[in-house]
Amino acid sequence: MEDQPLSQPSPNDGLAEVKAQYDSLHSLVVSLLLLVIVISGTFWIFLMRQVKTAKTDLNMVRIGYTNAAVQFERTRPIIDETVKRLQEFGRTNADFAPVLAKYNLTSTATSAPPAKATKKK
């Protein structure tokens, strides 16, 4: 076998390889940045739709709550009168006392009305 002399790499070969790696890395970073922008935009749209849905649901619950509160206020005098009559019946009929005690209707005064909720906007 003959000994062949090793060829010396020229300085331009290493520079070309580094430049190719740099270009590849640059395109990868740009692609990743675009992907992050697309993903964050999609997530933002998703969050905005969730906010819209939550607002709609909250308005529906608020309407239901308002209707229930109005209905309760309409029937409150009837409920108070019924409780008062049950208490009077319990005073005259000892057998009915356990029922009044079970539902905490033994006191002569009815419980105070709940505080009205303030509407926040």
PDB file of all heavy atoms in Angstrom, residues 23-53:
ATOM      1  N   ASP A  23     -28.141  28.814   8.379  1.00  0.00           N
ATOM      2  CA  ASP A  23     -29.364  28.993   7.589  1.00  0.00           C
ATOM      3  C   ASP A  23     -30.450  28.005   8.017  1.00  0.00           C
ATOM      4  O   ASP A  23     -31.628  28.355   8.113  1.00  0.00           O
ATOM      5  CB  ASP A  23     -29.063  28.834   6.097  1.00  0.00           C
ATOM      6  CG  ASP A  23     -28.241  29.999   5.535  1.00  0.00           C
ATOM      7  OD1 ASP A  23     -28.253  31.083   6.178  1.00  0.00           O
ATOM      8  OD2 ASP A  23     -27.600  29.829   4.484  1.00  0.00           O
ATOM      9  N   SER A  24     -30.062  26.792   8.293  1.00  0.00           N
ATOM     10  CA  SER A  24     -31.017  25.781   8.743  1.00  0.00           C
ATOM     11  C   SER A  24     -31.620  26.167  10.098  1.00  0.00           C
ATOM     12  O   SER A  24     -32.828  26.071  10.312  1.00  0.00           O
ATOM     13  CB  SER A  24     -30.324  24.433   8.838  1.00  0.00           C
ATOM     14  OG  SER A  24     -31.176  23.477   9.394  1.00  0.00           O
ATOM     15  N   LEU A  25     -30.779  26.615  11.015  1.00  0.00           N
ATOM     16  CA  LEU A  25     -31.235  27.045  12.336  1.00  0.00           C
ATOM     17  C   LEU A  25     -32.142  28.258  12.223  1.00  0.00           C
ATOM     18  O   LEU A  25     -33.162  28.350  12.891  1.00  0.00           O
ATOM     19  CB  LEU A  25     -30.038  27.340  13.239  1.00  0.00           C
ATOM     20  CG  LEU A  25     -30.338  27.723  14.679  1.00  0.00           C
ATOM     21  CD1 LEU A  25     -31.049  26.586  15.389  1.00  0.00           C
ATOM     22  CD2 LEU A  25     -29.054  28.089  15.405  1.00  0.00           C
ATOM     23  N   HIS A  26     -31.789  29.183  11.358  1.00  0.00           N
ATOM     24  CA  HIS A  26     -32.592  30.396  11.164  1.00  0.00           C
ATOM     25  C   HIS A  26     -33.995  30.034  10.653  1.00  0.00           C
ATOM     26  O   HIS A  26     -35.001  30.551  11.142  1.00  0.00           O
ATOM     27  CB  HIS A  26     -31.882  31.340  10.186  1.00  0.00           C
ATOM     28  CG  HIS A  26     -32.623  32.609   9.954  1.00  0.00           C
ATOM     29  ND1 HIS A  26     -33.486  32.770   8.903  1.00  0.00           N
ATOM     30  CD2 HIS A  26     -32.637  33.770  10.654  1.00  0.00           C
ATOM     31  CE1 HIS A  26     -34.013  33.991   8.959  1.00  0.00           C
ATOM     32  NE2 HIS A  26     -33.493  34.618  10.017  1.00  0.00           N
ATOM     33  N   SER A  27     -34.067  29.149   9.680  1.00  0.00           N
ATOM     34  CA  SER A  27     -35.380  28.759   9.146  1.00  0.00           C
ATOM     35  C   SER A  27     -36.191  28.002  10.202  1.00  0.00           C
ATOM     36  O   SER A  27     -37.417  28.155  10.279  1.00  0.00           O
ATOM     37  CB  SER A  27     -35.222  27.936   7.881  1.00  0.00           C
ATOM     38  OG  SER A  27     -34.578  26.722   8.170  1.00  0.00           O
ATOM     39  N   LEU A  28     -35.536  27.215  11.036  1.00  0.00           N
ATOM     40  CA  LEU A  28     -36.226  26.505  12.103  1.00  0.00           C
ATOM     41  C   LEU A  28     -36.809  27.484  13.124  1.00  0.00           C
ATOM     42  O   LEU A  28     -37.957  27.344  13.542  1.00  0.00           O
ATOM     43  CB  LEU A  28     -35.265  25.524  12.785  1.00  0.00           C
ATOM     44  CG  LEU A  28     -35.844  24.707  13.935  1.00  0.00           C
ATOM     45  CD1 LEU A  28     -36.895  23.734  13.407  1.00  0.00           C
ATOM     46  CD2 LEU A  28     -34.735  23.963  14.652  1.00  0.00           C
ATOM     47  N   VAL A  29     -36.040  28.491  13.523  1.00  0.00           N
ATOM     48  CA  VAL A  29     -36.513  29.490  14.493  1.00  0.00           C
ATOM     49  C   VAL A  29     -37.685  30.282  13.917  1.00  0.00           C
ATOM     50  O   VAL A  29     -38.690  30.516  14.599  1.00  0.00           O
ATOM     51  CB  VAL A  29     -35.352  30.419  14.923  1.00  0.00           C
ATOM     52  CG1 VAL A  29     -35.871  31.623  15.701  1.00  0.00           C
ATOM     53  CG2 VAL A  29     -34.339  29.656  15.760  1.00  0.00           C
ATOM     54  N   VAL A  30     -37.586  30.680  12.668  1.00  0.00           N
ATOM     55  CA  VAL A  30     -38.685  31.420  12.034  1.00  0.00           C
ATOM     56  C   VAL A  30     -39.937  30.552  11.978  1.00  0.00           C
ATOM     57  O   VAL A  30     -41.049  31.020  12.282  1.00  0.00           O
ATOM     58  CB  VAL A  30     -38.268  31.911  10.634  1.00  0.00           C
ATOM     59  CG1 VAL A  30     -39.463  32.433   9.857  1.00  0.00           C
ATOM     60  CG2 VAL A  30     -37.208  32.993  10.751  1.00  0.00           C
ATOM     61  N   SER A  31     -39.789  29.293  11.634  1.00  0.00           N
ATOM     62  CA  SER A  31     -40.939  28.386  11.580  1.00  0.00           C
ATOM     63  C   SER A  31     -41.573  28.219  12.949  1.00  0.00           C
ATOM     64  O   SER A  31     -42.803  28.222  13.084  1.00  0.00           O
ATOM     65  CB  SER A  31     -40.512  27.022  11.052  1.00  0.00           C
ATOM     66  OG  SER A  31     -40.008  27.129   9.746  1.00  0.00           O
ATOM     67  N   LEU A  32     -40.748  28.071  13.968  1.00  0.00           N
ATOM     68  CA  LEU A  32     -41.274  27.934  15.327  1.00  0.00           C
ATOM     69  C   LEU A  32     -41.992  29.206  15.777  1.00  0.00           C
ATOM     70  O   LEU A  32     -43.034  29.128  16.436  1.00  0.00           O
ATOM     71  CB  LEU A  32     -40.152  27.572  16.302  1.00  0.00           C
ATOM     72  CG  LEU A  32     -39.643  26.138  16.232  1.00  0.00           C
ATOM     73  CD1 LEU A  32     -38.455  25.953  17.175  1.00  0.00           C
ATOM     74  CD2 LEU A  32     -40.751  25.166  16.583  1.00  0.00           C
ATOM     75  N   LEU A  33     -41.446  30.366  15.456  1.00  0.00           N
ATOM     76  CA  LEU A  33     -42.104  31.617  15.818  1.00  0.00           C
ATOM     77  C   LEU A  33     -43.474  31.750  15.144  1.00  0.00           C
ATOM     78  O   LEU A  33     -44.448  32.166  15.772  1.00  0.00           O
ATOM     79  CB  LEU A  33     -41.222  32.811  15.477  1.00  0.00           C
ATOM     80  CG  LEU A  33     -40.013  33.027  16.383  1.00  0.00           C
ATOM     81  CD1 LEU A  33     -39.150  34.165  15.849  1.00  0.00           C
ATOM     82  CD2 LEU A  33     -40.457  33.334  17.797  1.00  0.00           C
ATOM     83  N   LEU A  34     -43.542  31.398  13.884  1.00  0.00           N
ATOM     84  CA  LEU A  34     -44.833  31.435  13.187  1.00  0.00           C
ATOM     85  C   LEU A  34     -45.817  30.448  13.807  1.00  0.00           C
ATOM     86  O   LEU A  34     -47.004  30.764  13.973  1.00  0.00           O
ATOM     87  CB  LEU A  34     -44.642  31.143  11.699  1.00  0.00           C
ATOM     88  CG  LEU A  34     -43.967  32.249  10.888  1.00  0.00           C
ATOM     89  CD1 LEU A  34     -43.715  31.781   9.464  1.00  0.00           C
ATOM     90  CD2 LEU A  34     -44.845  33.498  10.887  1.00  0.00           C
ATOM     91  N   LEU A  35     -45.342  29.282  14.169  1.00  0.00           N
ATOM     92  CA  LEU A  35     -46.197  28.290  14.799  1.00  0.00           C
ATOM     93  C   LEU A  35     -46.714  28.790  16.146  1.00  0.00           C
ATOM     94  O   LEU A  35     -47.897  28.616  16.463  1.00  0.00           O
ATOM     95  CB  LEU A  35     -45.429  26.974  14.966  1.00  0.00           C
ATOM     96  CG  LEU A  35     -46.224  25.801  15.518  1.00  0.00           C
ATOM     97  CD1 LEU A  35     -47.336  25.420  14.540  1.00  0.00           C
ATOM     98  CD2 LEU A  35     -45.307  24.626  15.768  1.00  0.00           C
ATOM     99  N   VAL A  36     -45.861  29.426  16.927  1.00  0.00           N
ATOM    100  CA  VAL A  36     -46.282  29.980  18.222  1.00  0.00           C
ATOM    101  C   VAL A  36     -47.324  31.071  18.018  1.00  0.00           C
ATOM    102  O   VAL A  36     -48.312  31.150  18.759  1.00  0.00           O
ATOM    103  CB  VAL A  36     -45.058  30.502  19.009  1.00  0.00           C
ATOM    104  CG1 VAL A  36     -45.476  31.369  20.183  1.00  0.00           C
ATOM    105  CG2 VAL A  36     -44.215  29.340  19.497  1.00  0.00           C
ATOM    106  N   ILE A  37     -47.149  31.904  17.019  1.00  0.00           N
ATOM    107  CA  ILE A  37     -48.127  32.969  16.745  1.00  0.00           C
ATOM    108  C   ILE A  37     -49.474  32.364  16.351  1.00  0.00           C
ATOM    109  O   ILE A  37     -50.522  32.799  16.832  1.00  0.00           O
ATOM    110  CB  ILE A  37     -47.589  33.914  15.657  1.00  0.00           C
ATOM    111  CG1 ILE A  37     -46.440  34.747  16.218  1.00  0.00           C
ATOM    112  CG2 ILE A  37     -48.688  34.822  15.130  1.00  0.00           C
ATOM    113  CD1 ILE A  37     -45.693  35.548  15.175  1.00  0.00           C
ATOM    114  N   VAL A  38     -49.469  31.350  15.512  1.00  0.00           N
ATOM    115  CA  VAL A  38     -50.721  30.713  15.085  1.00  0.00           C
ATOM    116  C   VAL A  38     -51.412  30.041  16.272  1.00  0.00           C
ATOM    117  O   VAL A  38     -52.626  30.177  16.466  1.00  0.00           O
ATOM    118  CB  VAL A  38     -50.450  29.704  13.944  1.00  0.00           C
ATOM    119  CG1 VAL A  38     -51.664  28.824  13.681  1.00  0.00           C
ATOM    120  CG2 VAL A  38     -50.039  30.441  12.690  1.00  0.00           C
ATOM    121  N   ILE A  39     -50.652  29.333  17.079  1.00  0.00           N
ATOM    122  CA  ILE A  39     -51.236  28.646  18.238  1.00  0.00           C
ATOM    123  C   ILE A  39     -51.787  29.651  19.238  1.00  0.00           C
ATOM    124  O   ILE A  39     -52.893  29.477  19.760  1.00  0.00           O
ATOM    125  CB  ILE A  39     -50.203  27.708  18.890  1.00  0.00           C
ATOM    126  CG1 ILE A  39     -49.948  26.516  17.978  1.00  0.00           C
ATOM    127  CG2 ILE A  39     -50.672  27.233  20.255  1.00  0.00           C
ATOM    128  CD1 ILE A  39     -48.837  25.604  18.436  1.00  0.00           C
ATOM    129  N   SER A  40     -51.051  30.711  19.528  1.00  0.00           N
ATOM    130  CA  SER A  40     -51.548  31.697  20.490  1.00  0.00           C
ATOM    131  C   SER A  40     -52.776  32.423  19.946  1.00  0.00           C
ATOM    132  O   SER A  40     -53.707  32.733  20.697  1.00  0.00           O
ATOM    133  CB  SER A  40     -50.451  32.683  20.869  1.00  0.00           C
ATOM    134  OG  SER A  40     -50.050  33.436  19.736  1.00  0.00           O
ATOM    135  N   GLY A  41     -52.825  32.695  18.652  1.00  0.00           N
ATOM    136  CA  GLY A  41     -54.016  33.311  18.054  1.00  0.00           C
ATOM    137  C   GLY A  41     -55.223  32.397  18.152  1.00  0.00           C
ATOM    138  O   GLY A  41     -56.332  32.841  18.466  1.00  0.00           O
ATOM    139  N   THR A  42     -55.026  31.117  17.890  1.00  0.00           N
ATOM    140  CA  THR A  42     -56.117  30.153  18.004  1.00  0.00           C
ATOM    141  C   THR A  42     -56.610  30.050  19.439  1.00  0.00           C
ATOM    142  O   THR A  42     -57.814  30.011  19.701  1.00  0.00           O
ATOM    143  CB  THR A  42     -55.652  28.771  17.507  1.00  0.00           C
ATOM    144  OG1 THR A  42     -55.149  28.904  16.177  1.00  0.00           O
ATOM    145  CG2 THR A  42     -56.768  27.756  17.553  1.00  0.00           C
ATOM    146  N   PHE A  43     -55.694  30.025  20.388  1.00  0.00           N
ATOM    147  CA  PHE A  43     -56.065  29.968  21.801  1.00  0.00           C
ATOM    148  C   PHE A  43     -56.810  31.228  22.210  1.00  0.00           C
ATOM    149  O   PHE A  43     -57.767  31.167  22.984  1.00  0.00           O
ATOM    150  CB  PHE A  43     -54.813  29.759  22.665  1.00  0.00           C
ATOM    151  CG  PHE A  43     -55.110  29.521  24.111  1.00  0.00           C
ATOM    152  CD1 PHE A  43     -55.837  28.408  24.501  1.00  0.00           C
ATOM    153  CD2 PHE A  43     -54.664  30.402  25.075  1.00  0.00           C
ATOM    154  CE1 PHE A  43     -56.117  28.179  25.836  1.00  0.00           C
ATOM    155  CE2 PHE A  43     -54.943  30.186  26.411  1.00  0.00           C
ATOM    156  CZ  PHE A  43     -55.659  29.071  26.785  1.00  0.00           C
ATOM    157  N   TRP A  44     -56.403  32.388  21.708  1.00  0.00           N
ATOM    158  CA  TRP A  44     -57.080  33.651  22.000  1.00  0.00           C
ATOM    159  C   TRP A  44     -58.514  33.612  21.491  1.00  0.00           C
ATOM    160  O   TRP A  44     -59.452  34.024  22.199  1.00  0.00           O
ATOM    161  CB  TRP A  44     -56.320  34.820  21.384  1.00  0.00           C
ATOM    162  CG  TRP A  44     -56.983  36.131  21.622  1.00  0.00           C
ATOM    163  CD1 TRP A  44     -57.704  36.852  20.742  1.00  0.00           C
ATOM    164  CD2 TRP A  44     -56.984  36.875  22.837  1.00  0.00           C
ATOM    165  NE1 TRP A  44     -58.155  38.004  21.325  1.00  0.00           N
ATOM    166  CE2 TRP A  44     -57.725  38.039  22.620  1.00  0.00           C
ATOM    167  CE3 TRP A  44     -56.425  36.657  24.093  1.00  0.00           C
ATOM    168  CZ2 TRP A  44     -57.946  38.982  23.603  1.00  0.00           C
ATOM    169  CZ3 TRP A  44     -56.642  37.605  25.070  1.00  0.00           C
ATOM    170  CH2 TRP A  44     -57.382  38.746  24.835  1.00  0.00           C
ATOM    171  N   ILE A  45     -58.716  33.109  20.277  1.00  0.00           N
ATOM    172  CA  ILE A  45     -60.072  32.996  19.724  1.00  0.00           C
ATOM    173  C   ILE A  45     -60.911  32.049  20.583  1.00  0.00           C
ATOM    174  O   ILE A  45     -62.075  32.334  20.888  1.00  0.00           O
ATOM    175  CB  ILE A  45     -60.013  32.521  18.258  1.00  0.00           C
ATOM    176  CG1 ILE A  45     -59.421  33.629  17.375  1.00  0.00           C
ATOM    177  CG2 ILE A  45     -61.390  32.114  17.755  1.00  0.00           C
ATOM    178  CD1 ILE A  45     -59.101  33.185  15.967  1.00  0.00           C
ATOM    179  N   PHE A  46     -60.327  30.945  21.008  1.00  0.00           N
ATOM    180  CA  PHE A  46     -61.031  30.011  21.882  1.00  0.00           C
ATOM    181  C   PHE A  46     -61.452  30.685  23.178  1.00  0.00           C
ATOM    182  O   PHE A  46     -62.596  30.532  23.636  1.00  0.00           O
ATOM    183  CB  PHE A  46     -60.138  28.797  22.169  1.00  0.00           C
ATOM    184  CG  PHE A  46     -60.666  27.904  23.250  1.00  0.00           C
ATOM    185  CD1 PHE A  46     -61.731  27.053  23.002  1.00  0.00           C
ATOM    186  CD2 PHE A  46     -60.084  27.915  24.507  1.00  0.00           C
ATOM    187  CE1 PHE A  46     -62.220  26.229  24.001  1.00  0.00           C
ATOM    188  CE2 PHE A  46     -60.568  27.096  25.510  1.00  0.00           C
ATOM    189  CZ  PHE A  46     -61.639  26.251  25.258  1.00  0.00           C
ATOM    190  N   LEU A  47     -60.536  31.441  23.799  1.00  0.00           N
ATOM    191  CA  LEU A  47     -60.863  32.120  25.053  1.00  0.00           C
ATOM    192  C   LEU A  47     -61.964  33.160  24.862  1.00  0.00           C
ATOM    193  O   LEU A  47     -62.855  33.302  25.709  1.00  0.00           O
ATOM    194  CB  LEU A  47     -59.615  32.776  25.640  1.00  0.00           C
ATOM    195  CG  LEU A  47     -58.592  31.833  26.250  1.00  0.00           C
ATOM    196  CD1 LEU A  47     -57.394  32.620  26.763  1.00  0.00           C
ATOM    197  CD2 LEU A  47     -59.203  31.013  27.361  1.00  0.00           C
ATOM    198  N   MET A  48     -61.941  33.881  23.761  1.00  0.00           N
ATOM    199  CA  MET A  48     -62.984  34.884  23.514  1.00  0.00           C
ATOM    200  C   MET A  48     -64.353  34.227  23.327  1.00  0.00           C
ATOM    201  O   MET A  48     -65.361  34.753  23.775  1.00  0.00           O
ATOM    202  CB  MET A  48     -62.633  35.739  22.295  1.00  0.00           C
ATOM    203  CG  MET A  48     -61.452  36.675  22.520  1.00  0.00           C
ATOM    204  SD  MET A  48     -61.743  37.852  23.854  1.00  0.00           S
ATOM    205  CE  MET A  48     -60.769  37.163  25.172  1.00  0.00           C
ATOM    206  N   ARG A  49     -64.382  33.072  22.679  1.00  0.00           N
ATOM    207  CA  ARG A  49     -65.658  32.351  22.540  1.00  0.00           C
ATOM    208  C   ARG A  49     -66.141  31.855  23.894  1.00  0.00           C
ATOM    209  O   ARG A  49     -67.341  31.860  24.163  1.00  0.00           O
ATOM    210  CB  ARG A  49     -65.503  31.187  21.573  1.00  0.00           C
ATOM    211  CG  ARG A  49     -65.246  31.640  20.154  1.00  0.00           C
ATOM    212  CD  ARG A  49     -65.164  30.483  19.227  1.00  0.00           C
ATOM    213  NE  ARG A  49     -66.279  30.640  18.302  1.00  0.00           N
ATOM    214  CZ  ARG A  49     -66.806  29.676  17.615  1.00  0.00           C
ATOM    215  NH1 ARG A  49     -66.347  28.456  17.735  1.00  0.00           N
ATOM    216  NH2 ARG A  49     -67.800  29.903  16.804  1.00  0.00           N
ATOM    217  N   GLN A  50     -65.216  31.435  24.744  1.00  0.00           N
ATOM    218  CA  GLN A  50     -65.602  30.994  26.079  1.00  0.00           C
ATOM    219  C   GLN A  50     -66.161  32.158  26.893  1.00  0.00           C
ATOM    220  O   GLN A  50     -67.126  31.995  27.650  1.00  0.00           O
ATOM    221  CB  GLN A  50     -64.405  30.368  26.809  1.00  0.00           C
ATOM    222  CG  GLN A  50     -63.979  29.035  26.250  1.00  0.00           C
ATOM    223  CD  GLN A  50     -65.048  27.984  26.385  1.00  0.00           C
ATOM    224  OE1 GLN A  50     -65.662  27.844  27.427  1.00  0.00           O
ATOM    225  NE2 GLN A  50     -65.297  27.260  25.321  1.00  0.00           N
ATOM    226  N   VAL A  51     -65.556  33.333  26.772  1.00  0.00           N
ATOM    227  CA  VAL A  51     -66.056  34.515  27.477  1.00  0.00           C
ATOM    228  C   VAL A  51     -67.460  34.845  26.999  1.00  0.00           C
ATOM    229  O   VAL A  51     -68.357  35.140  27.805  1.00  0.00           O
ATOM    230  CB  VAL A  51     -65.100  35.716  27.280  1.00  0.00           C
ATOM    231  CG1 VAL A  51     -65.740  37.017  27.705  1.00  0.00           C
ATOM    232  CG2 VAL A  51     -63.800  35.489  28.034  1.00  0.00           C
ATOM    233  N   LYS A  52     -67.686  34.791  25.703  1.00  0.00           N
ATOM    234  CA  LYS A  52     -69.011  35.087  25.148  1.00  0.00           C
ATOM    235  C   LYS A  52     -70.041  34.080  25.665  1.00  0.00           C
ATOM    236  O   LYS A  52     -71.145  34.463  26.062  1.00  0.00           O
ATOM    237  CB  LYS A  52     -68.943  35.042  23.619  1.00  0.00           C
ATOM    238  CG  LYS A  52     -70.238  35.374  22.945  1.00  0.00           C
ATOM    239  CD  LYS A  52     -70.102  35.315  21.435  1.00  0.00           C
ATOM    240  CE  LYS A  52     -71.432  35.572  20.754  1.00  0.00           C
ATOM    241  NZ  LYS A  52     -71.335  35.429  19.302  1.00  0.00           N
ATOM    242  N   THR A  53     -69.692  32.816  25.672  1.00  0.00           N
ATOM    243  CA  THR A  53     -70.596  31.787  26.174  1.00  0.00           C
ATOM    244  C   THR A  53     -70.870  31.973  27.661  1.00  0.00           C
ATOM    245  O   THR A  53     -72.015  31.840  28.102  1.00  0.00           O
ATOM    246  CB  THR A  53     -70.001  30.389  25.919  1.00  0.00           C
ATOM    247  OG1 THR A  53     -69.739  30.254  24.532  1.00  0.00           O
ATOM    248  CG2 THR A  53     -70.933  29.288  26.375  1.00  0.00           C
TER     249      THR A  53
END
